[in-house]
Amino acid sequence: MSGIFDVDIAPAYSEGAASAFRRLMDEIHAQERCVQDVRHTDPRDDKRRIEDTKGGLLADSYRWVLDNTTFQQWQQHPHGRLLWVKGDPGKGKTMLLCGIIDELHRSMLTTTLLSYFFCQATDSRINSATAVLRGLLYMLVVQQPSLIPHVRKKYDHAGKSLFEDANAWVVLTEIFVDVLQDSSLRTTYLIIDALDECVTELLKLLEFVAKQSSVSSRVKWIVSSRNWPDIETRLERAGRKVKLSLELNADSVAAAIAVFVQQKVDKLAQEHQYKAEVRHAVLDHLASNANGTFLWVALVCQELERTAHRHVLKKLAVFPPGLDDLYKRMLQQIRKTDDAELCTQVLAAITLVYRPMLLKELVALVEPLEDIANDLELREIIGLCSSFLTLREQIVYFVHQSAKDFLLVQAAEELFPLGIEVGHHAIFTRSLKSMSEILQRDIYGLKEVGYIVNDVKQPDPDPLAAVRYSCVY
């Protein structure tokens, strides 16, 4: 039975069946706890969320890479161990990797392992080197449980804190190296998206990838990032690598964007019943000004979705090419609304916090939001900021890292007229106020000291929902 459950227990002679079964179940439960504690996020869920946030994955916008000589060299040549996909913001790197993941999943053998991770600088759960290794490791041990003993050698002595204390990176790299050197490790693909959005210990992660990508012929790596010199310098140390530059494949990217534009315009034309000349004008403007940037097209189409048919041609003229110029235009539009001051405070708060925010958490940190009566009005406020923010399942995210970069660099004086430090202090002060008003002894009504955490059932509604961010950060 131990073989059925992917666990190994040493035989104990003269042991009865009942005792052996108990030992087996204890071992199964210990293994399950270990895997649960490795999991900090499930990258499969992150992938689905990212695809949904970006409006879904369009196959024709990434299939070009499958015929790309550099990609085929990496995939087919035994010495092609590391593929680095690099490009400027908004060029579609993340969705390209999502497409590659789907294609690998469809074409690979059932015994092959596929593990991936999506870094996002705006979310502290998934923006560190340790988070990357935990995410990759989690997917590997879920697919090949025989690798779990490499984790348990250290985990059984320390528990979950093994992955969270000051030595987590050191321990995780040791475990990961053991996994990669395991003779039973099956053919494996390891994929890391947006290295530039790993804000904690990026250089260590780059050095680890550069070194380990040359170790095993059974393991192939793909990483993506912006065109950062620091990243290039570190990855140059990898022995067997190939680079796929989106700028050097501008024709392929442009063709993919043309398909993306066509799909977006078809949808707009159908929903808003565009006349032929309006549809043609929109198609022409988007195609002429996209400049190889998917995100620019997506943001303009988002604005057009809210534009009445009769105003579309006039509205087209005000959309400048280039992401930064477009962001400036969107910020100017926000300034003209009746809720300009409120939107500015919302954008400032979301820019400074360390992870995406629940609506209730945002209300706790932005004082004027307390006067808004219901979720519908809150959603309207986020909708006014939709060129920068998106709302999914009551959680507020940036539409893209470049949106946060713009606000921090080019709009900082407007969002933080007294300085970013004052903005952080305002969040700190609001956090203290909210916690002092909401927190109370035995807030979950457990009525007993020493309650086992795993047995606690979260009340609905959760009285801690509004202050969860404040309590942690």
Side-chain angles (χ1 to χ4, degrees):
M1 286 185 69
S2 63
I4 296 174
F5 291 103
D6 285 310
V7 297
D8 291 317
I9 58 172
Y13 298 102
S14 75
E15 181 182 32
S19 175
F21 185 74
R22 278 196 302 273
R23 279 203 305 129
L24 174 62
M25 295 308 296
D26 288 344
E27 184 67 14
I28 291 171
H29 293 150
Q31 184 162 295
E32 289 174 345
R33 281 195 302 274
C34 176
V35 173
Q36 288 169 0
D37 287 345
V38 170
R39 180 193 182 279
H40 188 52
T41 184
D42 190 330
R44 294 167 295 190
D45 294 336
D46 290 326
K47 178 177 178 290
R48 284 190 289 269
R49 171 179 56 79
I50 289 168
E51 290 175 355
D52 289 348
T53 300
K54 293 177 181 288
L57 181 61
L58 180 62
D60 288 339
S61 68
Y62 70 78
R63 286 192 185 279
W64 67 267
V65 78
L66 305 178
D67 298 320
N68 180 269
T69 304
T70 303
F71 180 80
Q72 291 179 342
Q73 178 187 347
W74 165 82
Q75 188 175 30
Q76 298 169 9
H77 200 287
H79 296 300
R81 305 276 178 81
L82 173 64
L83 172 65
W84 176 29
V85 178
K86 64 194 191 91
D88 291 334
K91 296 291 185 180
K93 298 182 294 296
T94 295
M95 296 304 269
L96 181 65
L97 262 61
C98 285
I100 290 173
I101 288 168
D102 287 352
E103 292 296 328
L104 289 175
H105 189 73
R106 276 193 286 268
S107 63
M108 68 190 194
L109 299 173
T110 55
T111 54
T112 301
L113 306 182
L114 175 59
S115 181
Y116 49 85
F117 192 88
F118 294 87
C119 298
Q120 288 193 304
T122 55
D123 189 341
S124 62
R125 297 178 309 110
I126 51 178
N127 68 2
S128 68
T130 54
V132 172
L133 289 196
R134 281 180 76 174
L136 293 176
L137 188 61
Y138 171 71
M139 289 194 70
L140 288 176
V141 298
V142 166
Q143 294 171 78
Q144 187 175 337
S146 64
L147 300 172
I148 295 175
H150 294 299
V151 185
R152 291 194 55 192
K153 277 188 295 186
K154 295 180 179 293
Y155 172 83
D156 287 350
H157 298 287
K160 189 175 183 179
S161 63
L162 181 75
F163 311 117
E164 298 174 343
D165 65 19
N167 299 316
W169 171 254
V170 174
V171 172
L172 280 164
T173 54
E174 291 176 359
I175 293 172
F176 214 93
V177 168
D178 288 345
V179 167
L180 294 180
Q181 294 177 348
D182 190 318
S183 60
S184 73
L185 179 69
R186 305 197 291 264
T187 300
T188 301
Y189 293 108
L190 298 174
I191 300 174
I192 307 171
D193 178 56
L195 287 171
D196 52 282
E197 297 196 37
C198 175
V199 299
T200 304
E201 298 184 320
L202 170 60
L203 296 185
K204 289 184 178 180
L205 178 61
L206 292 171
E207 289 169 2
F208 181 80
V209 170
K211 181 178 180 180
Q212 296 306 319
S213 61
S214 305
V215 169
S216 174
S217 60
R218 289 169 297 169
V219 181
K220 286 182 176 286
W221 297 69
I222 303 179
V223 296
S224 74
S225 77
R226 297 185 186 182
N227 294 305
W228 283 10
D230 282 352
I231 293 177
E232 180 148 20
T233 300
R234 293 310 193 282
L235 292 182
E236 280 296 330
R237 300 172 187 174
R240 299 174 177 179
K241 65 182 181 304
V242 288
K243 292 185 282 189
L244 198 164
S245 167
L246 297 185
E247 281 71 32
L248 293 180
N249 288 275
D251 289 344
S252 296
V253 174
I257 288 179
V259 173
F260 183 64
V261 167
Q262 184 75 53
Q263 188 244 12
K264 286 288 189 181
V265 173
D266 286 347
K267 183 181 178 184
L268 284 169
Q270 183 177 10
E271 290 178 352
H272 295 275
Q273 299 181 337
Y274 286 174
K275 293 179 180 178
E277 60 269 24
V278 174
R279 181 185 178 282
H280 178 75
V282 173
L283 189 65
D284 184 62
H285 185 83
L286 294 180
S288 302
N289 293 277
N291 293 329
T293 306
F294 285 91
L295 181 59
W296 185 90
V297 175
L299 290 174
V300 171
C301 288
Q302 181 177 276
E303 287 298 307
L304 292 177
E305 284 176 3
R306 297 194 293 265
T307 303
H309 178 282
R310 61 189 179 278
H311 299 310
V312 168
L313 294 179
K314 182 173 65 176
K315 194 73 172 282
L316 276 179
V318 304
F319 294 129
L323 271 182
D324 281 352
D325 288 338
L326 183 61
Y327 283 140
K328 288 176 186 175
R329 169 66 191 172
M330 302 305 190
L331 201 55
Q332 289 171 0
Q333 286 184 293
I334 290 174
R335 292 190 199 110
K336 295 176 182 177
T337 67
D338 293 335
D339 293 300
E341 177 60 30
L342 181 53
C343 288
T344 300
Q345 292 188 46
V346 168
L347 289 172
I350 294 294
T351 300
L352 294 182
V353 294
Y354 297 104
R355 64 160 171 78
M357 303 287 289
L358 282 167
L359 278 177
K360 289 182 178 179
E361 293 173 324
L362 188 60
V363 171
L365 298 185
V366 180
E367 186 173 2
L369 291 180
E370 290 181 344
D371 299 328
I372 293 182
N374 53 49
D375 273 7
L376 183 60
E377 289 188 74
L378 286 173
R379 288 172 177 274
E380 288 177 3
I381 297 298
I382 302 302
L384 291 173
C385 306
S386 62
S387 300
F388 299 92
L389 307 178
T390 184
L391 182 65
R392 184 172 181 269
E393 296 179 357
Q394 297 288 312
I395 302 175
V396 184
Y397 301 88
F398 273 107
V399 295
H400 193 265
Q401 178 62 28
S402 61
K404 181 176 180 178
D405 293 343
F406 171 83
L407 293 176
L408 273 174
V409 177
Q410 299 202 39
E413 289 187 5
E414 180 173 345
L415 263 58
F416 314 107
L418 301 178
I420 286 178
E421 296 82 2
V422 174
H424 278 296
H425 184 265
I427 290 175
F428 172 71
T429 304
R430 287 287 301 168
S431 293
L432 289 180
K433 180 177 182 293
S434 297
M435 289 190 293
S436 65
E437 292 174 351
I438 292 174
L439 295 181
Q440 63 185 44
R441 186 179 180 84
D442 194 17
I443 195 168
Y444 275 10
L446 303 178
K447 298 177 182 168
E448 294 181 16
V449 177
Y451 213 95
I452 299 173
V453 172
N454 292 336
D455 293 339
V456 175
K457 293 183 179 179
Q458 191 178 88
D460 186 17
D462 182 4
L464 290 176
V467 293
R468 196 172 297 279
Y469 178 89
S470 299
C471 290
V472 173
Y473 295 97

